[in-house]
Amino acid sequence: MAPSGSRNIKKGCWRVLYWIPVLFIALVVAWSYYAYVLQLCIGKKPAVWVVCVIYLLVYHVVFIMFVWAYWQTIFTRPMNPLKEFHLSYSDKELLEREDRGESQQEILRRIARDLPIYTRTNSGAIRFCDRCQLLKPDRCHHCSVCNKCILKMDHHCPWVNNCVGFSNYKFFMLFLAYSLLYCLFITATDLQYFIKFWLNGLPDTQAKFHILFLFFSACMFSVSLASLLTYHCWLVCRNRSTLEVVRAPVFRHGTDKSGFSLGFSKNFRQVFGDEVKYWPIPVFSGLGDGCSFPTCLVNLDPEQPSSSPTRSHPVSKR
């Protein structure tokens, strides 16, 4: 078999394996729906029908929002840098002819003068991706799993089999929020039946064991989701990404972990947008284009275009 054919088979196998965590979550959610709706609520005595109907109405609202946000997080394609950041054919040839790193940096600095790029590498060089052959916009990073540069990359999440970045970070936040709400609602409404289980107040049926494991599963997921949501809320309030916590962005004047922070309100609106009605809905409402971001810096890079990076970007809906 040709080497290229074996590589394609290997890549195909890895693509299938990457979906296993997503399939696991889907199966857990499907089982929780069966256990809560069919085993816990439906089939109760007429005396508790009204309560069960209220439970089911609230449950389905939370369930729909949770699944919607999860779907958007998985299937929203991460945004890549605009074509202005890619090297032209002539620039690629010019860069390849140069052997010395300093000469290559001179070429990259010349190209970067016309682009809104304010971050650098730790050594002060222009951030360039050899694989994608482009100048990296601010907050852009190359994902080794997706094999492409992702705008405002936060991390690659195996539970959604996707990169979490500029295009779907709001969806990821809503997914965490609604999944936590989903687990807390199940825990609160299942608690009375869980207590009856230990007091032997439940009939010895199949539903008994579903109620037990549903309560334990919801509690377990609630703890992990609460910690993860709290962490990402902190990131949003500071206008930082997970990668920027690991390695703070470097500007021309040096490292500045708060270089993109504009204050709590503006930081929040960078992700969720200016229109309040869109905040709880899994539709894109963030600010900007993902290639440039306003900063809190006073001393801007004199080599960059005169347009101010502190200017707010218009709302972009996709």
Side-chain angles (χ1 to χ4, degrees), residues 115-120 138 250-252 293 295 297 300-301 304-305 307-309:
L115 297 171
I117 297 176
Y118 298 95
T119 53
R120 299 289 188 267
D138 293 345
V250 180
F251 296 87
R252 188 174 177 83
F293 297 90
T295 73
L297 303 179
L300 301 178
D301 191 339
Q304 300 306 312
S307 58
S308 172

Side-chain angles (χ1 to χ4, degrees), residues 122-141:
N122 286 332
S123 62
I126 299 293
R127 299 170 66 241
F128 178 72
C129 180
D130 293 314
R131 294 184 179 182
C132 299
Q133 289 292 293
L134 57 80
L135 278 72
K136 292 181 183 178
D138 293 345
R139 317 185 82 175
C140 175
H141 297 274

Side-chain angles (χ1 to χ4, degrees), residues 219-231:
C219 288
M220 179 184 67
F221 280 109
S222 294
V223 173
S224 58
L225 287 168
S227 59
L228 193 58
L229 179 61
T230 301
Y231 172 69

Side-chain angles (χ1 to χ4, degrees), residues 88-124:
S88 64
Y89 181 77
S90 58
D91 288 330
K92 287 181 183 178
E93 284 191 329
L94 190 61
L95 201 64
E96 289 173 357
R97 284 199 298 266
E98 294 292 344
D99 295 328
R100 295 184 301 114
E102 184 57 36
S103 300
Q104 292 179 339
Q105 275 298 306
E106 283 296 331
I107 297 171
L108 295 178
R109 277 195 288 267
R110 174 182 58 79
I111 301 171
R113 288 194 188 101
D114 300 323
L115 297 171
I117 297 176
Y118 298 95
T119 53
R120 299 289 188 267
T121 65
N122 286 332
S123 62

Side-chain angles (χ1 to χ4, degrees), residues 28-310:
V28 170
V29 172
W31 167 77
S32 70
Y33 185 91
Y34 166 79
Y36 191 88
V37 175
L38 298 180
Q39 296 293 334
L40 187 66
C41 292
I42 295 179
K44 294 294 182 184
K45 296 178 180 179
V48 294
W49 278 358
V50 176
V51 176
C52 286
V53 168
I54 295 174
Y55 281 177
L56 286 173
L57 287 174
V58 178
Y59 172 86
H60 279 91
V61 171
V62 177
F63 178 79
I64 289 171
M65 297 304 293
F66 159 50
V67 172
W68 186 8
Y70 190 44
W71 178 276
Q72 288 285 73
T73 308
I74 294 172
F75 293 106
T76 299
R77 295 183 62 181
M79 288 183 62
N80 311 121
L82 300 175
K83 63 180 182 180
E84 288 82 359
F85 292 86
H86 290 259
L87 294 184
S88 64
Y89 181 77
S90 58
D91 288 330
K92 287 181 183 178
E93 284 191 329
L94 190 61
L95 201 64
E96 289 173 357
R97 284 199 298 266
E98 294 292 344
D99 295 328
R100 295 184 301 114
E102 184 57 36
S103 300
Q104 292 179 339
Q105 275 298 306
E106 283 296 331
I107 297 171
L108 295 178
R109 277 195 288 267
R110 174 182 58 79
I111 301 171
R113 288 194 188 101
D114 300 323
L115 297 171
I117 297 176
Y118 298 95
T119 53
R120 299 289 188 267
T121 65
N122 286 332
S123 62
I126 299 293
R127 299 170 66 241
F128 178 72
C129 180
D130 293 314
R131 294 184 179 182
C132 299
Q133 289 292 293
L134 57 80
L135 278 72
K136 292 181 183 178
D138 293 345
R139 317 185 82 175
C140 175
H141 297 274
H142 186 91
C143 176
S144 58
V145 179
C146 298
N147 197 29
K148 60 181 70 174
C149 285
I150 307 298
L151 295 181
K152 196 188 174 185
M153 180 178 172
D154 186 86
H155 68 289
H156 186 94
C157 180
W159 299 107
V160 300
N161 190 26
N162 200 2
C163 261
V164 177
F166 176 77
S167 62
N168 64 348
Y169 189 63
K170 176 192 173 183
F171 306 150
F172 179 73
M173 290 292 297
L174 291 178
F175 158 62
L176 293 179
Y178 285 125
S179 57
L180 176 60
L181 184 61
Y182 179 76
C183 291
L184 290 176
F185 179 78
I186 289 177
T187 302
T189 54
D190 192 20
L191 179 60
Q192 57 179 315
Y193 301 103
F194 180 75
I195 294 173
K196 287 181 180 179
F197 173 86
W198 289 107
L199 298 177
N200 295 319
L202 289 179
D204 193 12
T205 62
Q206 182 183 7
K208 185 175 182 179
F209 298 98
H210 282 290
I211 291 171
L212 173 65
F213 289 115
L214 186 64
F215 183 83
F216 274 128
S217 300
C219 288
M220 179 184 67
F221 280 109
S222 294
V223 173
S224 58
L225 287 168
S227 59
L228 193 58
L229 179 61
T230 301
Y231 172 69
H232 279 280
C233 285
W234 177 79
L235 290 179
V236 170
C237 294
R238 300 295 182 92
N239 203 347
R240 298 173 70 183
S241 68
T242 299
L243 292 177
E244 289 168 351
V245 170
V246 176
R247 180 179 295 176
V250 180
F251 296 87
R252 188 174 177 83
H253 68 276
T255 302
D256 190 341
K257 65 180 182 180
S258 301
F260 294 107
S261 182
L262 308 171
F264 170 76
S265 178
K266 290 183 179 180
N267 290 344
F268 181 86
R269 290 171 186 271
Q270 282 286 305
V271 177
F272 286 86
D274 289 327
E275 299 187 57
V276 180
K277 62 183 179 181
Y278 292 117
W279 289 356
I281 305 173
V283 295
F284 185 85
S285 58
L287 303 182
D289 58 4
C291 288
S292 61
F293 297 90
T295 73
C296 65
L297 303 179
V298 177
N299 298 319
L300 301 178
D301 191 339
E303 295 184 2
Q304 300 306 312
S306 59
S307 58
S308 172
T310 57

